[in-house]
Amino acid sequence: MWALEALCDPLTIGVLARLRLPRQCNCLELGAGRGSIARWLATQCLHGSVLATDTDIHHLRRLREPNLTVVQHDVVDGPEFRQGAFGLIHSRALFTHLPDRDAVLSRVAGWLAPGGWLVVEEPILLPTGALLDPAVGDALTAFEHLMADALGSDFQWARNLPAALRAAGLAEVDVSGALAATSGGGAINEFWRVTLAHLSTDMVDAGLIDHITLRHALDRFNDPDYRDFTMAFVCAWGRSTS
Ligand SMILES: C[S@@+](CC[C@H](N)C(=O)[O-])C[C@H]1O[C@@H](n2cnc3c(N)ncnc32)[C@H](O)[C@@H]1O
């Protein structure tokens, strides 16, 4: 299982289960990634449908659920879906990386059917200067700057999610969260090992960190005794009234 899915699926599924979606619900999963949540939704909404979208549908092509369709789609400037088309729209770890994310959120809310739910889940990077190991703090600062420079990512935007859902015109807005604790075999360690290793050349080439500090940080994520808190996930939801 992908580290992000292992890390986040329990929170996501917990929130979606609380909404008690009708079996005939038509769902839209934005930025579906490898599709664990699209697949789960397809098993819950057996008499409805799931549309799983992403700009990169490479991993989604293997999904075989009969009520699940995969479409390549860019949520920022792709074609509009029909107003009122979906009883549930869900996304995770997507808006943090989008340009003009509040405006996109408002557009997406317009695709909800009356009474439909928009569920958005995003990470918050905890203050990197407060981390117990300064090398890990340096590595995560380098990661945050690289992502901001490359994509405009904002790892603090999720703090604003409930307000953004209200500004998009949604009612019954509420929020839940989960704090990921590092532990040798945990999903957050795997997430950071894979992510930092993948971006290591770019971070070093950009002068954001040196090889030795980065190596040390990666070693900490392999260390079963290294315990700290680097990231939280916020899951917020709201309901269309129109
Ligand atoms: C960090 S991954 C999260 C994947 C999945 N939501 C999950 O949590 O397991 C972000 C996903 O959003 C997709 N993505 C990025 N920009 C997008 C856009 N403008 N429109 C649709 N999908 C996008 C990426 O291709 C990637 O699959």
Side-chain angles (χ1 to χ4, degrees):
M1 191 183 212
W2 199 19
L4 190 64
E5 295 181 344
L7 187 59
C8 297
D9 279 6
L11 172 65
T12 310
I13 289 172
V15 168
L16 293 174
R18 272 164 65 180
L19 299 180
R20 298 188 179 283
L21 301 171
R23 296 211 138 211
Q24 68 276 17
C25 187
N26 293 322
C27 308
L28 172 64
E29 172 77 359
L30 297 165
R34 298 193 181 201
S36 64
I37 295 302
R39 209 170 46 231
W40 183 84
L41 285 169
T43 64
Q44 303 300 302
C45 303
L46 283 170
H47 305 307
S49 64
V50 177
L51 187 59
T53 67
D54 202 295
T55 45
D56 175 3
I57 56 171
H58 174 76
H59 294 292
L60 295 172
R61 287 207 179 100
R62 69 191 159 80
L63 299 181
R64 290 283 172 264
E65 283 64 21
N67 55 342
L68 192 157
T69 307
V70 173
V71 170
Q72 185 174 27
H73 179 262
D74 188 324
V75 70
V76 176
D77 53 19
E80 289 289 318
F81 292 106
R82 188 171 49 78
Q83 298 282 313
F86 301 103
L88 172 85
I89 302 176
H90 172 258
S91 74
R92 188 172 72 193
L94 173 67
F95 281 89
T96 293
H97 310 290
L98 297 182
D100 214 2
R101 44 188 81 79
D102 290 282
V104 177
L105 192 77
S106 285
R107 259 186 48 242
V108 167
W111 302 336
L112 285 173
W117 293 101
L118 175 57
V119 180
V120 180
E121 188 174 354
E122 296 293 331
I124 293 174
L125 205 55
L126 298 180
T128 51
L131 295 183
L132 294 175
D133 187 319
V136 176
D138 288 349
L140 300 197
T141 302
F143 161 79
E144 191 171 20
H145 286 158
L146 186 80
M147 295 296 286
D149 292 347
L151 297 177
S153 306
D154 180 353
F155 285 92
Q156 303 304 321
W157 179 77
R159 296 174 189 273
N160 188 49
L161 249 177
L165 292 176
R166 275 193 296 271
L170 300 182
E172 299 180 47
V173 171
D174 209 342
V175 64
S176 185
L179 182 60
T182 57
S183 66
I188 188 77
N189 292 54
E190 173 69 3
F191 172 80
W192 283 125
R193 278 196 299 266
V194 171
T195 302
L196 295 177
H198 179 66
L199 299 175
S200 59
T201 306
D202 289 343
M203 292 195 294
V204 171
D205 287 355
L208 294 167
I209 195 165
D210 62 79
H211 274 298
I212 294 169
T213 309
L214 186 56
R215 186 67 261 161
H216 180 86
L218 281 165
D219 286 346
R220 295 320 303 272
F221 288 119
N222 279 312
D223 177 355
D225 293 329
Y226 175 62
R227 301 278 177 156
D228 203 351
F229 303 93
T230 56
M231 192 148 69
F233 281 85
V234 172
C235 186
W237 58 94
R239 192 168 212 182
S240 172
T241 54
S242 53

